[in-house]
Each structure stands twice: as C-alpha cells, then as structure tokens.
Amino acid sequence: MLGNLLRAILGKLGRLGKRPGQTALVTMTQADAALAQGDHAGALRLYQQVLAIQPEHQDAWGKLGFCQATLGQNEPSAHSFGMLARLAPDSRTAHANLGHLALLGLELTRAVSHYRRALSCPPDANPATSDAALNSSLGFALMRQGLPDAAIACLRQSLRQQPENITAVTHLLLAMQYSALTKPDELFMQFRRWSEQHEHPLLPLHQPHGNTPDPTRRLRIGYVSGDFAAHAVANFIEPVLRHHQRSDFNIFCYSNRSKDDDYTPELRALSDHWREVHTLDDEAMSNQIRADAIDILVDLSGHTEGNRLRLFARKPAPVQMTWLGYPATTGLQSIDYRITDGVADPSPLADQYHSERLLRLPRSQWCYRPARHAPPLSPLPALASGRIMFGSLNNLAKLNEQTLRLWARVLQALPAAGITVVSVTDVPSRHRVANALIEYGAAPAQVRILGPLEETGFWRIREEIDIVLDAFPYNGTTTTCEALWSGLPVITLAGAYGAARNSASLLSAVGLEDLIARDQADYVAIAAHLAADIPHLAGLRAGMRQRMLDAGLCDGARFTRDLESLYRLAWQTWCDTRASEKKLLPETSS
C-alpha cells in the first residue's frame, strides 16, 4: 500500500515537473527519427507539434520546411523557411531553400536574390548549401533569366570549388549555348571535359555484345528519355513511335520519369515494350538493356534533366546514338552517332565539334506533330490594324542581351511596328526585358511584355502577331514549329551549327530560306522587307499549314522511313566491323 502511494506521489511530481521544453525535446527526437526513416508526413506532424510548444524553434522550422517541400507543399514550405529566415537572418539553409522554391515558382529574380544572400551567410556543414552548390543554383537561375554570361561566371566558380559537380557542368554546357560570346571550340572542349570526368572512369566496364550480326534481321531499338510526357520532345518522338515498321523493328522505351502525366499512357501504348527505369541505378539498367538484347540504343535527352548519359558510358548496346532532345554533341566516345540534318549541322564544319559521327537525314531532323487543340488559322492581324506586330514566344533563357539589342534595331527601323514578347516569367524580369528594349532604342509604345500563358491563351496570342522574331544563338524549335503552324513566318539569324541553326533547318524544309539571315544587318533588312508587304504576309499566313504538309514536315511515315534507313546503315556498319574482327582472330588448332 505504501508502495502504491509512493508511486502516485512520484507520478504527480513527474507530471508537475514536465516542462514545455522537455516535451518539445522529446517530440523533436521523435520527429527526427521519423525523418531519418523517410516518414516525411509523420515527421511533419511532429515538427508542427514542436512549434506549437516552441514557436521560435529554428531547427524545427527548417526541418518542417524540408518535409513540406519533399511532399510537394511548396507554399507552406516557403512559409516555414521564411520563418527560419526571420528568426535566423544568416541561415544558409533558409535562403538556399527559399531560392529553390522561388525557382520552382518561376520567380527568378527572387531566386537569384536568395541564392546570393545564402552565399553571404556563414558556411555550414550541409553539402547542399556549400558554396559550390549555391553557385551552381545561382548560375542556373541566372541562365533562366536570360543572363547566360553571368550564369557562366557562377558555374565556372562552382566547378573551381567542386570540379566533379556534374550538375554545375551540365548547367554550364547549356548556358554556353545560350551565350552569343561562346566560341565553338571552347564549347566542344567543355563537352570533352565532361567525358574525361564522368565517362572515362566507366570505359573499363565495357563488355562484348552477343547480338547476332545479321544486317537484315528485325532490330531491337531502345529509346531512353526522361521526357515521355507532355514535353516538347513528345511532339517529335510520337510520330516515330506511331510509324515504326513493326515487321522490321521491335521498339522498347526506357522511361526515366518518376511520375507519369496524362500524355504518358498514349506514348506507352505506342511502344512494344515499356520499361520504368527511374528507380534503377546505371548498373541495373545496363543489365536490363542487355537482357532485352537491344541492338541500337537511342538517347533522347543529351545533357538535359532526366538524362542517363553515364548509363550510355557503360555501352550496354552495340550501337548507341543521340537524337532529338539536345542539339549538340554529348562528348561521349561511347555514343557512336548523332542524328541531325545537313542544314542544322552542315558538313564539314559541324563534324569537327562532335565526338559522335553525324548521320544526316535527307530532310529536316524534326518531324512535327501538330497540336490537336491548335485553333484554325486566323486572318493576318495587320489587315485590320494596319500595324505590324512582331512577336517572340521563346522562353526567357534565350532572350540574352544580344537578342534584345537586335530586336530593338528592328523596332528602330520600323517605328510604326510593335513587339509582343510572351513567356517572361516574373514581373521584375518583364520590367528588365522591357527596359532593355527601350534602352537599346525601341519606343515604350512599341513594347508589350507578357508572362506565361495557359495553353489556350498561348495559341490565341498568335492571332495578334504577324511575324515572329527568333532568338539567337539558341533558336526556337517547338516554338518555331508552332509559329509556322499558326501561319507566322519566323525570321532567324543562323549560326554555325546545332542550336544556332534549329530554325534554319525548319525554314529550309518549308522553302522559306529567304527568312534565314546571314548577319544582324540582314536580319533587320529581312524584317523591314517582310513588314512592308502586307498582302504577301497575308498569303504566307493563309498557306503556311499546307506548305508544312506539302514539305513533309508533319509526315511521320516518311520521316520514320528515313530514320529507319539510318538505323540500318549504322547496323550494317557494326555487322561489317564484327565480320572484320572475326577474320582477324587467330585460328585455333585442334
């Protein structure tokens, strides 16, 4: 009886002594354990309980923000990291994550500000907030803003701090293609440097292939992409998947996406075999490809998000190619070919800047699948307004200083004309683009800058545009196809090769070579000449869709036959090589 009384007294004293700080400490420990086990939802609830007791618990705010971001709760996450920033203004974690969340929301100016603020904060032990990681993120945000040269400086700094940072070098390769100051040999050297760092250590893993070297048999083709979804790549791969001759080709798709969208099932249905590979490491995926006995493995991503280039470095298939998703070399010696065309990558200039052998299609490398929801062609707006409206629908990353200067020259030459620039993400970036055009000589009344539009609006805005002005050195591709399908002529400045000649390839395919400028003065002259002939513009608009159809730019069957011929050529070469190797083998005596 005395023992029971003593336990009751001690229990009461324990309850009286259990202070809020102790409760918060216990709950925080439980939350950290849940987080360590990957239970983000459970950890989130526990961190919220901690903050209900101790609203100024900095660690709880930071970890709550992390859990929310992991679960896709971006707005609550931004609030949590904002609270952490108020409680700890010098928190790298707070500003780095606020930068990431702003970038996801296309608030590029805010993202840049937070990344720079994070870099000014004292270092911490988190690799994700190291100077190298932050400079990489800052460089990416600046590139997305249309400031490639500033981005390149940040990304080079990141690589000096962490030379093996594959994310930074991937961003650098793209930023260099957006910059008009990049020299071709400098860019190619950077691609080869990627290979030296990330491919060469994997070359010893190459193994012989047991594929039957019969040049006429049915081939097994594997397409590898992180973009089997409502993505620009789908506009061009869908016609190929639909029109492959199944009697001659067995089609495998290796999808590196973690999440499908509404369009993925349609692409899956066009594939003979569909493999979800985003959870497989490179070794496991290589084993899968070998088990599938793939003859020709085709990369559709290049150095873009969701790529598996280090898988290709293992050479899981006897013939490997890159095509479609990246208009440049990969730099990999393990990839044998890059598919292109003679206008986009003219010979012999383009060949010297590729590690792969170039296989050139007889027509454009692009086969466009018109959007099903594209509205009917509308009359030329200038017929009613009497005023030429130029337009751009390229993403902001392509709108570098040199492009904006050139557009301003066009507007100076045609003071009665205007320009509508679409897809400039955040409001500060819109002001920057508008101010740049005005500073370079355009009148304020000539300039209209619009943010991103929903899909219907993105098509309808073309009904207010007469002529599209292309960006350089990274031209449009999908946007150029969409402009042409809307009846809009596109004026482009062609560079040496690759991304700087995407639009030249498309315009050549539809017989509009006269819209391809040789230099900036020619660009302005073409714009002035085209704008002066409204009846000609109206005729171009009315006949553009038929022009595309007549040129075969939307002919999936014909394009796929041309592509399959290149596959056969590459396979024949491999078979011939195998036969030659077999002849060179010493004979064994019995």
Side-chain angles (χ1 to χ4, degrees):
M1 185 174 180
L2 183 61
N4 292 337
L5 179 61
L6 182 59
R7 280 192 291 273
I9 294 171
L10 289 173
K12 186 175 182 180
L13 289 173
R15 287 191 295 275
L16 289 172
K18 196 172 185 179
R19 301 182 183 278
Q22 293 173 312
T23 302
L25 178 61
V26 171
T27 308
M28 190 72 185
T29 301
Q30 294 171 337
D32 288 346
L35 181 60
Q37 294 171 4
D39 180 9
H40 295 97
L44 183 153
R45 289 189 294 271
L46 291 166
Y47 289 129
Q48 288 174 329
Q49 292 176 26
V50 171
L51 290 165
I53 301 167
Q54 289 188 345
E56 297 188 356
H57 198 300
Q58 296 176 17
D59 194 29
W61 279 117
K63 290 175 177 176
L64 174 62
F66 172 78
C67 291
Q68 290 165 327
T70 302
L71 294 169
Q73 301 175 15
N74 291 344
E75 284 190 24
S77 178
H79 170 75
S80 297
F81 285 119
M83 288 297 299
L84 177 58
R86 283 191 284 275
L87 293 169
D90 289 335
S91 168
R92 276 198 169 209
T93 294
H95 290 290
N97 283 285
L98 286 169
H100 297 333
L101 291 164
L103 190 59
L104 286 173
L106 298 180
E107 297 178 272
L108 300 178
T109 307
R110 181 175 294 180
V112 166
S113 176
H114 279 298
Y115 288 137
R116 285 182 167 148
R117 181 73 180 88
L119 280 164
S120 71
C121 295
D124 56 31
N126 186 354
T129 58
S130 67
D131 283 1
L134 289 171
N135 272 312
S136 177
S137 296
L138 174 59
F140 181 71
L142 288 166
M143 178 182 70
R144 294 288 302 274
Q145 273 193 310
L147 301 170
D149 300 313
I152 288 168
C154 287
L155 293 164
R156 289 197 187 283
Q157 176 65 12
S158 175
L159 289 168
R160 282 191 290 270
Q161 293 161 337
Q162 188 181 4
E164 70 280 6
N165 187 337
I166 193 168
T167 300
V169 74
T170 298
H171 294 337
L172 176 62
L173 289 168
L174 188 56
M176 291 177 73
Q177 292 176 79
Y178 283 140
S179 172
L181 305 180
T182 299
K183 296 180 175 61
D185 55 348
E186 180 186 14
L187 177 61
F188 184 53
M189 186 182 302
Q190 191 63 60
F191 279 111
R192 297 315 299 261
R193 192 171 294 131
W194 190 99
S195 170
E196 290 168 5
Q197 287 188 295
H198 303 290
E199 178 192 23
H200 284 201
L202 299 171
L203 295 180
L205 300 178
H206 287 200
Q207 299 175 14
H209 299 95
N211 305 59
T212 303
D214 177 354
T216 62
R217 69 173 173 81
R218 188 185 188 210
L219 296 181
R220 299 164 79 85
I221 309 295
Y223 292 107
V224 181
S225 179
D227 301 317
F228 287 128
H231 184 277
V233 166
N235 293 319
F236 304 101
I237 192 60
E238 189 268 357
V240 172
L241 295 178
R242 184 175 297 279
H243 291 286
H244 264 309
Q245 294 189 100
R246 276 1 195 236
S247 59
D248 293 332
F249 297 91
N250 193 0
I251 305 305
F252 292 71
C253 286
Y254 297 89
S255 177
N256 198 42
R257 287 182 66 85
S258 60
K259 190 176 182 181
D260 291 351
D261 67 9
D262 292 341
Y263 189 58
T264 304
E266 183 173 339
L267 295 174
R268 184 186 292 114
L270 295 174
S271 173
D272 299 320
H273 311 274
W274 184 271
R275 306 280 190 254
E276 301 285 353
V277 296
H278 66 276
T279 60
L280 300 182
D281 63 20
D282 291 337
E283 181 180 5
M285 186 173 170
S286 179
N287 292 337
Q288 177 67 67
I289 291 166
R290 284 180 173 273
D292 289 336
I294 296 299
D295 298 307
I296 300 176
L297 191 67
V298 185
D299 159 59
L300 300 179
S301 297
H303 291 272
T304 63
E305 185 178 359
N307 78 75
R308 299 299 296 261
L309 288 180
R310 285 186 286 188
L311 160 81
F312 279 81
R314 292 170 173 263
K315 195 77 170 180
V319 177
Q320 299 193 151
M321 301 182 177
T322 185
W323 171 55
L324 193 59
Y326 198 73
T329 183
T330 61
L332 274 67
Q333 65 187 67
S334 303
I335 294 185
D336 307 288
Y337 303 97
R338 177 172 169 252
I339 297 170
T340 182
D341 63 66
V343 176
D345 289 285
S347 177
L349 175 63
D351 299 78
Q352 64 184 304
Y353 299 120
H354 282 79
S355 58
E356 309 88 356
R357 175 186 170 188
L358 294 182
L359 292 179
R360 293 178 171 92
L361 288 155
R363 288 167 280 269
S364 177
Q365 63 181 304
W366 314 106
C367 180
Y368 176 61
R369 180 211 60 182
R372 302 182 183 112
H373 47 268
L377 285 175
S378 62
L380 185 76
L383 289 172
S385 69
R387 181 196 193 201
I388 291 293
M389 180 60 71
F390 294 101
S392 166
L393 296 105
N394 277 308
N395 69 62
L396 177 60
K398 298 181 181 180
L399 309 191
N400 56 54
E401 180 183 354
Q402 290 81 1
T403 291
L404 295 177
R405 282 184 183 275
L406 181 55
W407 291 354
R409 285 181 60 185
V410 171
L411 294 172
Q412 278 184 306
L414 298 163
I419 188 169
T420 296
V421 183
V422 185
S423 298
V424 181
T425 50
D426 54 330
V427 172
S429 293
R430 286 173 225 163
H431 291 323
R432 182 181 62 77
V433 170
N435 291 339
L437 287 168
I438 293 166
E439 178 186 345
Y440 299 146
Q446 291 180 287
V447 178
R448 179 172 68 154
I449 313 296
L450 301 179
L453 302 174
E454 45 79 30
E455 198 164 28
T456 301
F458 200 64
W459 282 97
R460 290 296 180 188
I461 196 66
R462 294 174 174 85
E463 298 175 2
E464 304 174 23
I465 296 171
D466 302 288
I467 303 168
V468 164
L469 297 180
D470 200 11
F472 78 95
Y474 205 119
N475 300 164
T477 305
T478 304
T479 51
T480 298
C481 289
E482 290 171 344
L484 293 173
W485 193 250
S486 300
L488 298 171
V490 179
I491 302 172
T492 190
L493 174 56
Y497 68 97
R501 298 182 65 86
N502 286 339
S503 291
S505 169
L506 292 163
L507 291 170
S508 296
V510 296
L512 292 175
E513 293 91 343
D514 57 334
L515 300 183
I516 305 170
R518 300 181 304 274
D519 53 35
Q520 295 194 25
D522 194 28
Y523 189 102
V524 176
I526 291 171
H529 178 76
L530 198 57
D533 193 344
I534 289 181
H536 175 59
L537 270 178
L540 273 180
R541 191 181 189 101
M544 193 71 80
R545 285 190 182 175
Q546 192 59 48
R547 178 187 287 262
M548 293 176 74
L549 295 172
D550 291 344
L553 195 57
C554 304
D555 188 340
R558 188 176 81 174
F559 179 89
T560 306
R561 297 296 84 74
D562 290 340
L563 181 66
E564 290 171 345
S565 294
L566 293 185
Y567 289 166
R568 281 291 171 192
L569 175 64
W571 184 248
Q572 176 74 62
T573 301
W574 184 80
C575 292
D576 292 345
T577 302
R578 284 294 304 275
S580 299
E581 291 171 349
K582 188 174 181 180
K583 288 179 182 178
L584 292 174
L585 290 174
E587 293 185 9
T588 58
S589 57
S590 57

